[in-house]
Amino acid sequence: VMVMSPAAAAAAAQVDGDALCDAVAVLAAEARDRGSRLDASSEQASSLRRRCQEAESELGSLRLNASAAAHDDADNRAQLTAARERHDKLMRRTEEAEAELAAAEAAAPAAH
């Protein structure tokens, strides 16, 4: 067993302490770097989550608008169909009235 003098033991402890401090400093720097990257990553993730929520909200609005437009379109088609039916009825009544008028005009000279 080797016996060291107190001065040599103190010097060896100082070297070991310095090496340990250097290792701790390296680990601390790595931890700060990882923490910074994690913060940046967290900020980026938060930003992406915010953008996704905004996109989802906009998509919901677009779906609602599309649904309302489809409903309006269906209403417009129904109104157009009803207007066409009224038009067709009026055309038939007009044709019938014209035919009755023509028959009355044809019968009128024969009555005189």
Side-chain angles (χ1 to χ4, degrees), residues 2-24:
M2 192 165 128
V3 177
M4 284 194 202
S5 69
Q14 182 67 40
V15 169
D16 289 345
D18 289 346
L20 184 58
C21 285
D22 289 345
V24 168

Side-chain angles (χ1 to χ4, degrees), residues 42-62:
S42 294
E43 288 174 18
Q44 185 178 15
S46 294
S47 174
L48 289 171
R49 276 193 295 275
R50 236 183 345 269
R51 287 173 50 199
C52 285
Q53 289 170 344
E54 290 168 0
E56 286 173 353
S57 175
E58 187 175 343
L59 181 59
S61 294
L62 288 173

Side-chain angles (χ1 to χ4, degrees), residues 22-46:
D22 289 345
V24 168
V26 167
L27 290 174
E30 287 177 4
R32 280 191 303 275
D33 182 51
R34 286 182 181 171
S36 295
R37 282 185 281 158
L38 183 59
D39 286 345
S41 179
S42 294
E43 288 174 18
Q44 185 178 15
S46 294

